[in-house]
Amino acid sequence: MDWQYAPAPESAALANLKPTYRPFVDGEFVDGGGEPLKTLNPATEEVLAEVGTASPEDVDRAVAAARRAYEQVWGPMPGTERAKYLYRIARVVAERARELAVLETLDNGKPIRESRDVDVPTASAHLFHHAGWADKLGYAGLGPDPRPVGVVGAVIPWNFPLLMAAWKIGPALACGNTIVLKPAETTPLTALVLAEIAADAGLPPGVLNVLPGAGDVGAAVVGHDGLDKVAFTGSTDVGKEIQRRLAGTGRRLTLELGGKAANIVYDDAPLDQAVDGVVDGIFFNQGHVCCAGSRLLVQESIEQEFMELLRARIETLRVGDPLDKNTDVGAINSRPQLDKIVDLAAAGDAEGAQRWTSSCPLPERGLFFPPTVFSGVEQTMRVAREEIFGPVLSVLTFRTPDEAIAKANNTPYGLSAGIWTEKGSKALWTSQRVRAGVVWTNTFNRFDPTAPFGGYRESGFGREGGRVGLEAYLDA
Ligand code: NDP
């Protein structure tokens, strides 16, 4: 039977979109001194809103406000009191979940199913989790009286705008620090609504400052000498630049950068589950995921069977209107990102990999790229080495577990990995040998605020989340 899904669009009106948004400094929305930017809906390329951006003077003001708030209010405040604000913010995020999900989908292009079921609930969970730590820091195994580090500068990317904001704000504030946050140029809206929520929750002025703008604002924030710590999530190139800039300053730094994760499927794996895990690993959030399972390593003896199942499953993915609740793969966040995906896929063709593309029709307008699989991939090819950050899977094969490990680790990155096997001992053996900060077994892309997340090598350093993640925000 040919099943057709009737459209099930979520209403864009739920986003309460405003024509203009402004930077949030010292507890108020202010006219930023920078050139305003227009944020687009990548599914239509229409302008969603005009957003004021920060000038270098605004960055100075925000850092000074954060310093004042740290010294006079937030730093000295008992953890039990700080927790109340964080709980309030987490609760309001949950209460306004539907609005935030629609806004995120409009600004980012991700399917509403994902913003509704993953981004917003996980952001709220992250804030709740850290609210719980605020009065228990002495029991975190970091000494009896760990102190905050001071003023934090945080720069975040466009792939999980609200969630990344929560990942930075939650631990920073719970530990008694104040923060200056720069959201990505193409996705500033939910971070600014989060600022509004914080203000409504009565968060003292200066504790949280949100400065929209492009990379130059990010550079002004992370390079500011009024900071005590920098937390960056984004590309490896920018991460390296920041590390060079901070070297010798004594300021603390955590970097969460790119990845090229191996998703290893052994011949004894439950194949249907593994197929779904591989699909989720690379097509979740259009593949705009630092920990995406972008390299499938499948055991040679099951390659043919597995690839047939995989292609059949990918054929069922619906690419289209991100606001439609039936959509599996939404829009690519920006034109430059789409160009990058197109270029890297062309490099796959040129280097001799075989391209297979889902026959799912693409919308006539907007920024879309079809789910794509490259097989016959060699380890030296660009599609095996570089982060494509799009819905493109590269397939390699292996014969023995040792070969799987060698290939999995043959990457400059080390953020995540997946293992699919029925055998617990094999899963443990593999996970002990894969050099990746996060290893999932018989699942993929699970995010939990209690579990630390972070990488090795060019994927960065430092951990975010859980008890371990507190370390980066405390002087123990
Ligand atoms: P960037 O690293 O450029 O962007 C991340 C954040 O850093 C954004 O807020 C950006 O601002 C800001 N930024 C840019 N330049 C500087 C600078 N010199 N100093 C401080 N902050 C800066 O990533 P892109 O968005 O350009 O994406 C490029 C590639 O990076 C992607 O194709 C993907 O491969 C990878 N990437 C990886 C991510 C991950 O989570 N690992 C996340 C995002 C991208 P603005 O957006 O305004 O330029």
Side-chain angles (χ1 to χ4, degrees):
M1 193 186 295
D2 182 21
W3 282 90
Q4 294 296 331
Y5 283 78
E10 185 66 298
S11 165
L14 290 164
N16 292 330
L17 199 61
K18 291 180 270 188
T20 53
Y21 290 78
R22 296 188 297 163
F24 184 70
V25 179
D26 205 8
E28 296 180 348
F29 288 98
V30 299
D31 291 326
E35 194 60 34
L37 61 85
K38 290 184 167 47
T39 189
L40 307 181
N41 176 352
T44 60
E45 294 191 88
E46 284 166 0
V47 174
L48 285 172
E50 187 170 283
V51 182
T53 70
S55 63
E57 293 73 35
D58 295 324
V59 177
D60 288 341
R61 265 194 289 279
V63 173
R67 174 66 54 193
R68 258 193 322 275
Y70 170 67
E71 285 173 358
Q72 296 173 10
V73 186
W74 198 250
M77 189 184 280
T80 42
E81 291 304 308
R82 289 201 305 271
K84 290 179 190 168
Y85 292 98
L86 277 168
Y87 276 124
R88 228 176 276 157
I89 295 169
R91 261 199 312 271
V92 180
V93 168
E95 278 164 19
R96 292 175 66 175
R98 198 162 173 193
E99 170 196 349
L100 285 164
V102 175
L103 188 63
E104 194 76 309
T105 283
L106 286 173
D107 206 17
N108 170 279
K110 62 175 72 204
I112 186 70
R113 214 160 40 84
E114 292 177 4
S115 47
R116 180 195 65 192
D117 297 349
V118 182
D119 293 64
V120 179
T122 314
S124 168
H126 219 80
L127 293 164
F128 271 118
H129 174 84
H130 286 95
W133 272 117
D135 62 348
K136 301 172 195 71
L137 298 173
Y139 306 96
L142 302 167
D145 187 24
R147 311 299 308 155
V149 291
V151 178
V152 175
V155 174
I156 56 172
W158 45 264
N159 53 346
F160 292 93
L162 179 71
L163 183 58
M164 287 303 106
W167 274 33
K168 304 292 185 236
I169 294 169
L173 267 50
C175 294
N177 308 283
T178 57
I179 187 165
V180 177
L181 177 84
K182 209 267 322 159
E185 181 183 2
T186 58
T187 55
L189 300 184
T190 46
L192 290 167
V193 174
L194 189 57
E196 180 187 300
I197 290 171
D200 290 347
L203 191 73
V207 175
L208 166 67
N209 304 271
V210 181
L211 302 181
D216 57 330
V217 179
V221 169
V222 299
H224 203 286
D225 54 18
L227 300 180
D228 300 293
K229 173 189 160 55
V230 170
F232 174 77
T233 300
S235 63
T236 295
D237 286 346
V238 173
K240 285 181 182 173
E241 197 179 311
I242 294 172
Q243 190 176 12
R244 277 194 290 271
R245 184 123 179 226
L246 263 63
T249 63
R251 266 168 257 154
R252 294 172 50 164
L253 175 65
T254 43
L255 296 175
E256 202 271 274
L257 310 175
K260 192 76 189 175
N263 213 347
I264 303 170
V265 180
Y266 284 112
D267 59 4
D268 61 356
L271 292 193
D272 289 333
Q273 274 176 47
V275 162
D276 257 26
V278 169
V279 165
D280 177 59
I282 185 63
F283 300 118
F284 170 63
N285 203 30
Q286 296 74 246
H288 302 327
V289 184
C290 46
C291 54
S294 50
R295 283 185 301 148
L296 166 63
L297 297 186
V298 59
Q299 196 148 8
E300 202 177 86
S301 50
I302 56 161
E303 183 198 5
Q304 204 178 340
E305 181 186 3
F306 192 78
M307 292 309 294
E308 276 167 22
L309 290 169
L310 184 64
R311 282 191 283 264
R313 177 69 181 87
I314 295 172
E315 276 291 322
T316 68
L317 297 178
R318 290 173 295 270
V319 183
D321 177 9
L323 277 181
D324 191 321
K325 289 172 221 162
N326 296 317
T327 293
D328 299 299
V329 180
I332 302 302
N333 179 248
S334 66
R335 176 73 60 184
Q337 187 60 30
L338 181 57
D339 292 344
K340 180 183 167 187
I341 297 167
V342 169
D343 285 353
L344 274 165
D349 297 329
E351 289 184 312
Q354 289 91 54
R355 185 198 293 229
W356 175 89
T357 299
S358 150
S359 64
C360 181
L362 299 188
E364 278 166 16
R365 61 175 187 158
L367 308 173
F368 290 89
F369 193 88
T372 297
V373 178
F374 278 104
S375 47
V377 172
E378 302 289 340
Q379 295 182 79
T380 50
M381 292 180 182
R382 290 183 67 196
V383 289
R385 305 203 67 76
E386 294 182 32
E387 186 178 44
I388 301 176
F389 226 60
V392 181
L393 179 68
S394 299
V395 183
L396 298 94
T397 58
F398 65 91
R399 289 183 181 162
T400 63
D402 283 330
E403 190 186 349
I405 300 295
K407 286 186 168 168
N409 289 341
N410 183 7
T411 167
Y413 296 109
L415 191 55
S416 66
I419 302 166
W420 298 85
T421 171
E422 200 99 272
K423 225 171 167 204
S425 56
K426 201 192 268 182
L428 286 173
W429 183 91
T430 309
S431 63
Q432 282 162 357
R433 286 162 179 79
V434 172
R435 291 284 288 166
V438 182
V439 181
W440 287 291
T441 300
N442 293 332
T443 187
F444 208 89
N445 276 339
R446 292 273 164 184
F447 304 102
D448 188 304
T450 64
F453 185 92
Y456 287 104
R457 296 188 279 201
E458 298 218 347
S459 293
F461 49 79
R463 295 292 178 266
E464 298 191 286
R467 188 188 67 78
V468 174
L470 300 172
E471 254 179 72
Y473 291 92
L474 288 171
D475 254 333

